[in-house]
Amino acid sequence: MNLAAFRAFARLLPHAVVVCTASGRILAANPPAYRTVGSLRPGAHLLELALDADQVAERLTQWLRSGSPLPGVMTVRDGEGRTVRLRCHGARASWWQGPEPAVQLHLSRLDVNDRFVALTQRVSLMHQQMAYRRAIAEQRDKLLRSEKEARGRMQRLYRLTAELASSANLTEVCEAVHKCAPQALDAVDITLELHSHRIVPPLAPADTLPVLTTSWVDLDRVRRKPPLPDTARRVPLEAEGIVLGSLAIHYAPGAEPDSEHTTAIAQQVAQAVRRAGLFEHEHRLAERLQRSLLPRLPEVPGLDIASGYAPGTHMVDVGGDWYDIHLLSDDSIGLTIGDVAGHGIAEATAMAQINTALRSIARRHGEHPPAVMAELNDFLGTYHEGLMATACYATYHRPTRTLRYTRAGHPPFLLIHADGSTRYLEGALAPPLGPVPMTDYPLAEIAIPDNATLVFYTDGLIERRGESLDAGLDRLARTARTTSGLNAGDTCALLLHQQPDTDMPDDRALLTVRFPST
């Protein structure tokens, strides 16, 4: 309570009430006090008004030490110099929070009817009411602080949970932990200590986890855990009965950690790490299986040939991308690339069978791209009903530097000239393989300039979520203009990994052929 609240409360009382400091300076008085003695006003000094100042000073000391009203008598001068004898009941004003302690006095004139008992009861009741109100206010403030702290902790926990749930791989999980876990744990910092081989079992002795953007300790590479200061503690990270590592939490000096809250957060982190490790393991298995299905390209004298493959950012299934080189004769070679729609074992199996069938078809009809594509379409419709694939097949005649090609729903080749200018070969387009039987495939022909590079690719190289294919084609052409002077291998690597920080939703296969001058 403050003086304003006291005035509002005391003005309703029928008897005089005065609040003064320990030294006697009057802080507040209600209207009945003015009517009782006109000189009892804020700012006046009680010891200067009292005729028995020494006795009043002694009583003030007694009242300051008392929690209950003590009686007393004093004589004071009013505003006109007359003496007025007062009966008073005083006690320490426990509600007062000023720099100097205060006394609350209840006064009545001795020359009027003395209602001593009733006044004492009123004083006691007033003190009880003030103490009760103060206790209620303190309790309310305490509850509000507790509710605010709980709401803030819950919001920080929700933020961590959302970040972990949206993290697909181990790098993203570690970044989420470093970003949100310290706030959720009311900690200064955290350190992730992980057993990398338990999280992602290696497929070969040389396998290692990818480089993470945040710091962490690989417990499979260090002999012992680093020591922690007294203000830190370790919490084990365990999921599905496997101890994946620990979470080293660094607290501020004097902090009191909540054990149950810490354990719950550690369980969330462990589950996210376990899930990300399984995803990473499956991603590696899919990539290794995919690479094992792709052919080893033969060396072709007079041509610089390179190939590349990269899985989609979040793919854990094998896909249907393929490429190949066919040695048709001393003067001619066949080049092919394609993509079976979908991902999974069925699509990967169809891709392997198509590639095998294509090698057989190329031995018989390799010099005639439309005949190769027609027979391949018949093979897909006969043995893989319901599947669809895009593909292109081209032959290159070295003595005349002539490229003849046909496409079945596949994106156009990209021709990069020696000066870096580019051109898409958009001719000879027909429907994809599979859905349409007995398709007539067109034929296009072009002369390849000296030192030009031809780029065959699957649509994963140009596709992005929420973006048109034209934007992807423009981006690929712009990047290709920077490859002037590069060999086929460097060109392939540059185009395959353009925009490495971008989400690549699909697999990417690439075949680059550089045609030196003859």
Side-chain angles (χ1 to χ4, degrees), residues 373-374 377-378 380-381 387-388 430-441:
M373 200 65 75
N377 184 44
D378 182 64
L380 192 65
L387 282 183
M388 183 182 74
L433 300 173
V436 183
M438 305 298 291
T439 300
D440 291 330
Y441 290 90

Side-chain angles (χ1 to χ4, degrees), residues 250-265:
H250 303 262
Y251 294 101
E256 298 181 0
D258 185 334
S259 298
E260 294 184 359
H261 183 67
T262 302
T263 301
I265 289 181

Side-chain angles (χ1 to χ4, degrees), residues 6 17-22 59-72 74 88-96 101-107 120 123-124 126-128 130:
F6 168 81
V17 181
V18 174
V19 178
C20 64
T21 64
R59 292 191 187 98
L60 285 174
T61 303
Q62 295 174 351
W63 289 331
L64 283 172
R65 293 197 297 263
S66 174
S68 301
L70 297 178
M74 71 172 68
C88 47
H89 293 79
R92 183 185 182 95
S94 58
W95 52 268
W96 171 249
V103 174
Q104 184 172 307
L105 299 176
H106 294 253
L107 308 173
T120 301
V123 171
S124 299
M126 183 177 179
H127 275 278
Q128 291 176 2
M130 290 183 175

